[in-house]
């Protein structure tokens, strides 16, 4: 976006936007992972402006590989000194001291090989798209014509009922399918043009967009916005709080399931859906204070090798009840409920699920293992349900540790790892063998030894961070007051991002390599009828 004409205000606004973007990244609440996990402490990153990325690449081909440095050998002989897994008996002097009550609970210092779960499923897109496929073709894999026709029907029904109750609206005419596509196009345009308000499209100011403003008048758009609905009326049998959007979410989920098969490794987390930083930078403090806090929590199951979001789970805040959002943030058992909902169709496929501290728990992982779902998660004594875990592994030892040192205890195929890297970090997994070693490669710290589970955890979650860096700025900036509409526009944004991921994996990308911004721009024009979307095959 260009600076605002007429002064240096645009540059200052952009600088503020970048600062806010870095702040948004640091608030990645779903994982709560310190940068120190990856060796980027404050003193190491003092020269790189803007804060370290909390995820990193473990590729040996990275530019950091050449500056590898050995960890401090034998810094404290009483620790067992080595950087690899402690030898038999070292745990008594190092990170975890064995106790009889832990042995009785089934946890042991003796390590054994654990076979990685096999995976024979084919992953990737399920449909072959023509090289001339348009952005609209990919979008309609998830939002087909019948979904748009339903929006038209329900909007007209709601407008009729509204006018019967509150009086006739002479300016209203029933909306048509082309008009509904235009309406969606205008809303989606805010994700690529970052308007301060969707109505700015018709203004004469900095955020105006004359190239698309002529397709529909502002007054007509406002009428459709006033009456827009997915479900016009609540039936007597409806008890679900998301009834106004549930049919659309089901259509969207069916599209996700039928269009793509995920890889073996997936992540459960909350995507970064904070306010767009560029948009925030244009708001006054008064406008920011007026904005209401979101009344829902949106969780996803995401393919970690492609970034494709396979499933969405929306949890509404409904008063102060036991299932309210405020309770959800503080109750690991409710996070467990979210995880079960997101993995309800994953049984028997040997998926490996990576989780953040709020979801990770021994009980959940054991329950998933019975369904042939394997897990690897970061533990936090403050956020995780630590029931059934040995206390000696959860308490930090008084003796200083060497960077890269770790201790492991096992119970069945479950491994509890305590790894030190300028702080103690704990992982729970049944997907990776505790006897296999990994390495963390840092630009300034060199190679840091770790168990394979730690390396895998960081390597797979790094893709999710890159996804947020690339795609979170393309969420629709229109923020309605009604919760169901907020969920709807977030869902549409996710659908467009998924459509672009499929586009990049198709032959159409080889024909014309559009960026995410160009893809969104073409989709807007095709919805508005400014581009020919007729099939070429």
């Amino acid at each position: 976006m260009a600076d605002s004409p007429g002064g240096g205000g645009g540059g200052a606004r952009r600088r503020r936007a970048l600062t806010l973007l870095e702040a948004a990244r640091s608030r990645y609440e779903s994982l709560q992972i310190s940068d120190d996990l990856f060796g980027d402490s404050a003193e190491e990153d003092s020269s790189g402006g803007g804060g370290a990325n909390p995820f990193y690449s473990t590729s040996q081909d990275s530019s950091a590989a050449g500056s590898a440095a050995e960890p401090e050998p034998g810094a404290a002989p009483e620790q067992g000194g080595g950087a690899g897994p402690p030898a038999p008996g070292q745990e008594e002097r190092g990170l975890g001291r064995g106790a009889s009550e832990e042995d009785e609970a089934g946890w042991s210092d003796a390590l054994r090989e654990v076979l990685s779960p096999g995976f024979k499923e084919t992953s990737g897109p399920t449909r072959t798209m023509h090289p001339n496929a348009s952005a609209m073709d990919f979008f309609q894999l998830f939002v087909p014509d019948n979904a748009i026709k339903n929006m038209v029907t329900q909007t007209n029904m709601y407008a009729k009922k509204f006018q019967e109750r509150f009086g006739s609206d002479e300016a209203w005419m029933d909306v048509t399918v082309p008009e509904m596509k235009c309406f969606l196009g205008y809303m989606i345009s805010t994700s690529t043009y970052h308007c301060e308000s969707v109505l700015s499209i018709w203004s004469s100011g900095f955020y105006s967009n004359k190239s698309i403003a002529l397709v529909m008048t502002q007054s007509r758009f406002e009428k459709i916005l006033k009456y827009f609905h997915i479900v016009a009326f609540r039936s007597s049998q409806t008890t679900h709080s998301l009834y106004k959007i549930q049919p659309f979410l089901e259509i969207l989920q069916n599209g996700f399931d039928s269009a793509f098969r995920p890889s073996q490794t997936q992540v459960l987390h909350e995507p970064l859906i904070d306010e767009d930083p560029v948009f925030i930078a244009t708001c006054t403090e008064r406008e920011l204070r007026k904005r209401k806090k979101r009344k829902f929590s949106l969780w996803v199951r995401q393919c970690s090798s492609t970034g494709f979001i396979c499933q969405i789970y929306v949890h509404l805040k409904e008063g102060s009840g036991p299932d309210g959002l405020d309770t959800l943030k503080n109750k690991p058992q409710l996070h467990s409920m979210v995880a079960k909902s997101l993995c309800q169709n994953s049984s028997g496929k040997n998926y490996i699920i990576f989780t953040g501290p709020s979801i990770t728990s021994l009980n959940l992982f054991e329950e998933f293992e019975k369904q042939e779902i394997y897990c690897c998660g970061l533990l936090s004594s403050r956020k995780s349900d630590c029931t059934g875990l040995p206390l000696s592994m959860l308490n930090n030892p008084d003796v200083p540790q060497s960077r890269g040192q770790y201790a492991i205890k096992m119970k069945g195929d479950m491994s509890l790892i305590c790894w030190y890297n300028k702080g103690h970090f704990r992982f729970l997994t049944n997907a990776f063998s505790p006897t296999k070693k990994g390495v963390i490669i840092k630009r300034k710290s060199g190679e840091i030894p770790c168990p394979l589970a730690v390396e895998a955890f960081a390597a797979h979650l790094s893709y999710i961070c890159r996804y947020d860096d690339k795609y979170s700025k393309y969420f629709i900036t229109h923020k309605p007051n009604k919760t169901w509409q907020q969920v709807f526009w977030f869902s549409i944004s996710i659908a467009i991002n998924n459509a672009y991921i499929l586009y990049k994996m198709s032959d159409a990308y080889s024909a014309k390599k559009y960026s995410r911004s160009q893809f969104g721009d073409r989709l807007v024009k095709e919805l508005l009828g400014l581009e020919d979307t007729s099939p070429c095959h």
Side-chain angles (χ1 to χ4, degrees), residues 28 31 265-269 300-304 342 352-356 460-461 464:
Y28 198 78
L31 299 173
T265 54
Q266 298 164 41
V267 182
L268 306 185
H269 72 117
V300 300
R301 176 166 57 88
Q302 188 168 15
C303 174
S304 63
L342 287 171
I352 297 176
I353 305 296
F354 294 90
T355 63
H460 287 91
L461 288 184
I464 305 307

Side-chain angles (χ1 to χ4, degrees), residues 28 31 33 38 53-59 267 304-305 354 454-470:
Y28 198 78
L31 299 173
I33 303 176
F38 313 103
N53 190 321
F55 304 102
Y56 63 101
S57 171
T58 57
S59 170
V267 182
S304 63
S305 62
F354 294 90
V454 178
E455 178 182 350
F457 180 90
H460 287 91
L461 288 184
S462 68
Y463 197 100
I464 305 307
C465 186
R466 292 197 296 273
Y467 175 92
D468 281 337
D469 287 347
K470 183 173 183 177

Side-chain angles (χ1 to χ4, degrees), residues 363-382:
N363 292 334
L364 176 66
F365 284 13
E366 288 179 338
E367 186 175 340
F368 274 171
E369 188 173 13
K370 296 175 183 176
Q371 304 173 35
E372 298 182 44
I373 302 173
Y374 300 89
C375 304
C376 180
L378 182 66
L379 274 168
S380 165
S381 57
R382 184 169 61 91

